[in-house]
Amino acid sequence: MKRREFLLGTAALGAAGPFLAQTALAQQASATLMKFAPQANLSALDPIWTTATVTNNHAYYIFDMLYGADENLKPQPQMAEGHQVSADGLLWRITLRDGLMFHDGSPVKAADCAASLKRWTQRDAYGQLLGRAAESFGAADDRTIEIKLKRPFPRLLECLAKTDQPPVIMPERLAKTDANTQVSEMIGSGPYKFVAADYVSGSRVAYEKFDGYKPRSEPPSRNAGGKVAHFKRIEWTILPDPATAAAALTRGEIDWWERPLADLQPMLASSPDIRQEVIDKAGRGAIMRLNHLHPPFNNPKVRAAVRMAVKQEDYMRATQGDDTSLWQTCRSLWFRGTPYYAGEAEDLMPQSLEKAKAALKESGYNGEKVVIINPTDFPDIGPLGEVTFELLKQLGMNVEMAASDWGTVVQRRSSREPVEKGGWSMFHTTGSAISWGDPAQSSIIRGQGEKGWFGWWKSDKAEELAEAWLYAPDEATQKEKAKELNRLALTEVATIPLGQFLSRTAYRKSLTGVLPGTAPYPWGVKRG
């Protein structure tokens, strides 16, 4: 499915399908209800279990964090009232704000927070670094969390304020769930409650204002400050057809479309009632992720051959169109504009099909099947897989496209089985350039193996470099370690970068208070 085929041949938006016939979605704008069209279907609910961006965005409604990152990415107290650190840096005591409550009516206690942090450190890349340094997560009393360390952890607050797959707080009974299994309930202490009875995967998600939430007094800034819920109810409507979503936004049947298709942006710009805005100024990176556990990509020479063939312009044009003011190439796993970007690795990514064919011939590739799991309902991702499918055929590889909805991709990519048993060889996705911006938090460059991100690249050297960066004595050493890690990950083909782009969100001008950041935050947004 090519990018423009996502329009389903719709040249005009007069007939946008059965969605517009649903009278429930044709209600007049309400001060108490906001209707939102997310980037993709929400199929996985647990933000610790998956790194899917749509799940991360969902989690911001329900859960809160001890600390949040402000617009300058500085950690600020959120659920925390404050903290104390021992002179040797080995004991942190974090005091909770008074009166915090979960959606089920139970008070938030330090034991809930300790259990939540412990579970998070078993899944998240940054969290695993903290987990290695931690002796224990405990509670001195109901309002005091104790983190005992084996060695000082220099960026502990930044770790707790992480923006993607953040360390959200849930009740202890849920936080005791195995980290490799999704929790059974969505109970948090955030500004909105999840309405389980109204959740239909592929169709609808609903949230209701939590009257027991106590926002901070500071102004909102990214995922810090006062998270004030102005709407009594927010409904997500899953609209995989961009033409339908565009028509719904134009007609006022939804209020906010998170990530409109590039081809439809000019049409949206012509509406006097719609505002378009780039809220994530650093942009997003597009990547190809390979399965390192099974043939053929357990062979680094085969991975390198694919890396040599990638022409990033093809990927960016396929997903983002011809407006080059919104995308650029980036042959680095530190994306442009982030602290450790230091130029292009042109020698490793020559963008040459002939060099790639020669490398594949010498690699020992023996016709093993390559299965690309790829979404048909995600315009920023689906065409990436289509470009790769054609590229691998040109290379002479035995390739199969396993097309499905995005929710199925999210579920299937967790399988470690070989392709003959329902596994996979490759998928594509995008992520925040900021969230992939340093060695501690970037899952695409870390080498934790089976404890790491889907694809499970194993590299003890990469982990050594991540720790060396974390504990570096000065900024110059950090830059040196980050540069070395980037080179290693590209050489061994942990992940293949496909380019970098800006995404314009679009919402009705009747909405105000939309915040800049890496997510469409629901707090602060109101009508009028």
Side-chain angles (χ1 to χ4, degrees):
M1 182 173 290
K2 305 299 186 291
R3 175 175 62 95
R4 289 178 176 84
E5 290 174 8
F6 276 95
L7 296 177
L8 303 180
T10 306
L13 299 175
F19 167 74
L20 297 183
Q22 298 176 16
T23 56
L25 293 176
Q27 300 169 347
Q28 291 185 342
S30 165
T32 62
L33 172 67
M34 183 178 77
K35 298 182 184 232
F36 177 82
Q39 59 180 263
N41 179 34
L42 177 68
S43 63
L45 301 179
D46 186 348
I48 306 303
W49 182 82
T50 183
T51 57
T53 303
V54 68
T55 304
N56 188 77
N57 296 347
H58 145 85
Y60 276 133
Y61 284 68
I62 303 167
F63 300 103
D64 212 347
M65 302 161 58
L66 295 175
Y67 291 82
D70 65 17
E71 193 169 349
N72 297 313
L73 300 178
K74 300 298 182 183
Q76 303 294 343
Q78 191 58 34
M79 296 174 71
E81 183 179 275
H83 61 268
Q84 295 179 329
V85 188
S86 63
D88 60 6
L90 297 180
L91 177 62
W92 285 68
R93 286 194 175 97
I94 300 172
T95 304
L96 290 171
R97 288 195 288 138
D98 191 28
L100 300 179
M101 186 181 297
F102 285 118
H103 299 158
D104 61 3
S106 61
V108 177
K109 296 182 179 181
D112 301 305
C113 302
S116 297
L117 293 178
K118 184 177 180 180
R119 182 171 186 258
W120 175 72
T121 61
Q122 296 171 51
R123 290 286 291 187
D124 181 74
Y126 211 155
Q128 287 180 15
L129 288 174
L130 175 58
R132 290 177 202 167
E135 181 179 306
S136 65
F137 298 93
D141 54 51
D142 283 350
R143 286 187 59 198
T144 308
I145 306 150
E146 279 194 347
I147 302 176
K148 295 181 180 179
L149 300 170
K150 303 169 190 173
R151 62 186 296 189
F153 197 83
R155 292 170 59 88
L156 192 140
L157 293 182
E158 287 83 356
C159 182
L160 297 183
K162 185 174 182 285
T163 56
D164 278 11
Q165 202 178 20
V168 298
I169 303 303
M170 58 185 67
E172 183 181 17
R173 62 183 177 84
L174 296 177
K176 286 184 174 179
T177 304
D178 185 291
N180 295 311
T181 302
Q182 293 198 62
V183 294
S184 58
E185 298 175 73
M186 288 288 103
I187 302 294
S189 64
Y192 285 94
K193 298 184 294 183
F194 178 70
V195 185
D198 290 348
Y199 170 61
V200 180
S201 180
S203 177
R204 183 179 64 249
V205 191
Y207 308 89
E208 291 180 350
K209 180 179 179 178
F210 178 42
D211 291 331
Y213 184 72
K214 297 177 67 174
R216 297 188 67 91
S217 60
E218 301 91 344
S221 179
R222 198 178 283 268
N223 63 330
K227 298 180 178 180
V228 177
H230 291 289
F231 292 100
K232 288 186 177 180
R233 182 178 171 95
I234 297 179
E235 294 176 357
W236 285 17
T237 302
I238 313 303
L239 298 174
D241 172 26
T244 302
L249 182 64
T250 302
R251 297 180 181 188
E253 289 152 347
I254 59 172
D255 299 294
W256 190 352
W257 183 14
E258 181 184 357
R259 204 180 293 179
L261 188 70
D263 281 353
L264 294 176
Q265 292 283 3
M267 184 278 297
L268 296 176
S270 69
S271 170
D273 301 316
I274 294 173
R275 176 173 288 110
Q276 297 159 287
E277 186 177 359
V278 176
I279 59 174
D280 184 358
K281 302 297 192 291
R284 299 182 68 80
I287 62 164
M288 178 194 303
R289 185 70 171 182
L290 312 174
N291 190 331
H292 294 246
L293 298 181
H294 301 291
F297 296 128
N298 61 347
N299 180 343
K301 292 183 179 180
V302 177
R303 301 197 301 264
V306 176
R307 181 199 63 211
M308 292 178 191
V310 164
K311 185 178 181 183
Q312 292 190 346
E313 289 87 347
D314 293 343
Y315 288 89
M316 289 293 94
R317 291 188 189 279
T319 55
Q320 305 305 319
D322 296 327
D323 184 354
T324 55
S325 69
L326 293 176
W327 61 261
Q328 56 191 326
T329 60
C330 182
R331 285 175 277 182
S332 168
L333 290 171
W334 303 131
F335 290 92
R336 295 176 187 268
T338 58
Y340 300 114
Y341 175 77
E344 303 286 278
E346 295 182 11
D347 59 323
L348 295 177
M349 297 190 69
Q351 304 192 135
S352 169
L353 186 61
E354 294 310 311
K355 288 183 179 180
K357 284 181 176 179
L360 184 64
K361 186 176 181 180
E362 296 174 0
S363 70
Y365 175 68
N366 196 32
E368 296 94 341
K369 183 187 288 187
V370 173
V371 175
I372 303 173
I373 52 174
N374 201 56
T376 58
D377 59 348
F378 205 147
D380 275 347
I381 296 176
L384 300 174
E386 292 290 345
V387 173
T388 296
F389 180 71
E390 296 298 330
L391 181 65
L392 298 191
K393 286 198 298 184
Q394 292 179 55
L395 280 176
M397 301 187 81
N398 175 15
V399 57
E400 176 184 304
M401 177 67 78
S404 67
D405 62 276
W406 176 240
T408 299
V409 173
V410 168
Q411 300 286 342
R412 185 171 175 179
R413 69 182 182 177
S414 66
S415 172
R416 299 182 186 182
E417 296 288 348
V419 295
E420 295 79 13
K421 295 184 178 181
W424 57 276
S425 308
M426 177 188 293
F427 72 90
H428 303 73
T429 192
T430 71
S432 162
I434 287 175
S435 298
W436 286 342
D438 69 53
Q441 63 180 327
S442 177
S443 56
I444 66 175
I445 206 166
R446 294 282 298 281
Q448 308 109 295
E450 295 195 11
K451 292 183 178 180
W453 196 49
F454 312 109
W456 307 288
W457 178 49
K458 172 69 172 173
S459 172
D460 293 340
K461 179 63 175 177
E463 289 304 282
E464 290 172 9
L465 287 169
E467 290 215 1
W469 173 86
L470 180 66
Y471 296 104
D474 51 54
E475 186 176 333
T477 305
Q478 284 189 320
K479 287 185 176 181
E480 175 190 334
K481 298 304 178 184
K483 183 177 181 180
E484 191 175 346
L485 178 55
N486 181 59
R487 184 74 185 183
L488 173 68
L490 283 173
T491 300
E492 296 194 7
V493 202
T495 305
I496 300 177
L498 303 176
Q500 185 173 353
F501 64 96
L502 295 172
S503 181
R504 288 195 187 106
T505 196
Y507 53 92
R508 303 283 297 181
K509 288 183 178 178
S510 57
L511 293 185
T512 61
V514 174
L515 291 171
T518 56
Y521 306 116
W523 47 83
V525 180
K526 58 185 177 180
R527 203 177 302 282

